[in-house]
Amino acid sequence: MDSKKQEQLHYLMSFNGGFLGVYAILNFCDLFGSAQTANMIYLVTDILGHNLAEFVLRAGGLLLYMCAVALAVWLPRHSTVNLRLLSICFDGLAALVLGFLPKGISPVLGLYPLFFAMAFQWSCFSGAAGFNSSTIFSTNNLKQFTMASAELVLNRNKSHLPKAKFYGKTLLSFHSGVAVSYLLWLSFGLHTSWLCLLPLAAAFALELSACRESNESPAL
C-alpha cells in the first residue's frame, strides 16, 4: 500500500475508533471498551470486595481482549489472510451485534464485542507514515503531538512538522468520530453502532483497492 493510502486508511480507522469508543461510554455506564486498564483495576477491586459475578464477567472480557491480540499474532504465521480486511470485518460484526443487544444487559457483558474487535484493530492498525500510532485511543497520540509541537514551536525544530501534522490529524480523526457518534446517539441510541458500518465500508474499499494496486493478497 502506498503511503498516502496508508495514511488515509489510518485516519478512517481512527475515526472508527473514536466512534465506537464514545459509543461504549454512552451506552455502557461510562465504560471504555477499547482498553483494559480500567477493567483490570476493577478486577482487583472485585476480588477484594468479594464481587464474584462481576469478577467473572471482567475476567472474561480480559481473556477475550487477549485472545484477539493472540489471534493477530498467530494468523500471519499460519494463513494468508489480510489482517486489515479481517479487522474491518470484525469491527463491522461487532457494530451489528451491539445494535441488537437488549436494554439492561450487564455493561461489561455488553462490551464483549468491542473488547475483541478493538483489540484486534489495535494489533492490525499500528500506525502509518513511519509513525507508531493507535487508532483506538488517544493518550499516546496526544503525547506525541504535544512533544512534536513543543519541538516545533519552543525549540524551533522544523523537522518535527510532519510528526506534528500526522498526530494532529490522527487526533482530529478520532475525535471527529466521537462527535459524529454522539450526535447520532442522541437520535438512535443503542442502534447508533449500525451507522458505523458506513465508514467501515469506506475503509474496506480503500484497503481492497490498495491490495489490488500492489498485487497484495486481499484474502479473508
Side-chain angles (χ1 to χ4, degrees):
M1 179 185 292
D2 66 61
S3 59
K4 185 177 180 179
K5 284 192 174 181
Q6 187 183 39
E7 272 196 66
Q8 290 172 343
L9 183 59
H10 173 80
Y11 298 140
L12 266 174
M13 296 309 292
S14 294
F15 180 94
N16 173 67
F19 192 108
L20 292 176
V22 74
Y23 174 89
I25 290 171
L26 292 170
N27 290 287
F28 300 109
C29 299
D30 292 331
L31 297 176
F32 187 48
S34 300
Q36 284 294 303
T37 303
N39 191 47
M40 290 189 292
I41 289 173
Y42 281 120
L43 274 172
V44 175
T45 61
D46 287 339
I47 292 173
L48 297 177
H50 306 289
N51 192 338
L52 181 59
E54 279 294 304
F55 173 81
V56 170
L57 283 176
R58 291 187 184 280
L62 176 62
L63 288 173
L64 199 59
Y65 202 92
M66 293 172 67
C67 284
V69 174
L71 182 63
V73 172
W74 183 84
L75 280 173
R77 296 287 300 274
H78 300 276
S79 75
T80 59
V81 66
N82 183 306
L83 292 183
R84 294 182 295 273
L85 288 177
L86 184 59
S87 175
I88 295 168
C89 289
F90 281 153
D91 285 357
L93 183 60
L96 282 173
V97 170
L98 288 167
F100 285 109
L101 294 179
K103 289 184 178 181
I105 190 173
S106 161
V108 178
L109 187 60
L111 286 174
Y112 272 27
L114 285 180
F115 283 154
F116 184 88
M118 291 296 96
F120 198 82
Q121 179 177 323
W122 188 21
S123 301
C124 300
F125 293 93
S126 56
F131 300 110
N132 291 322
S133 173
S134 170
T135 58
I136 64 169
F137 42 73
S138 290
T139 305
N140 188 59
N141 292 330
L142 177 62
K143 176 187 175 184
Q144 296 301 325
F145 172 73
T146 303
M147 291 172 64
S149 297
E151 289 282 359
L152 186 64
V153 177
L154 302 179
N155 295 335
R156 302 188 183 281
N157 187 341
K158 293 184 179 180
S159 67
H160 287 267
L161 180 59
K163 181 178 179 180
K165 283 184 175 180
F166 173 80
Y167 284 104
K169 288 179 181 178
T170 300
L171 289 168
L172 180 61
S173 298
F174 184 92
H175 292 284
S176 294
V178 171
V180 170
S181 183
Y182 173 72
L183 292 174
L184 291 171
W185 175 78
L186 293 175
S187 297
F188 299 103
L190 197 66
H191 302 309
T192 301
S193 63
W194 293 342
L195 299 173
C196 189
L197 294 174
L198 296 175
L200 286 173
F204 191 93
L206 182 60
E207 172 63 20
L208 200 59
S209 171
C211 287
R212 288 170 177 166
E213 289 178 4
S214 62
N215 293 320
E216 183 181 345
S217 172
L220 279 175

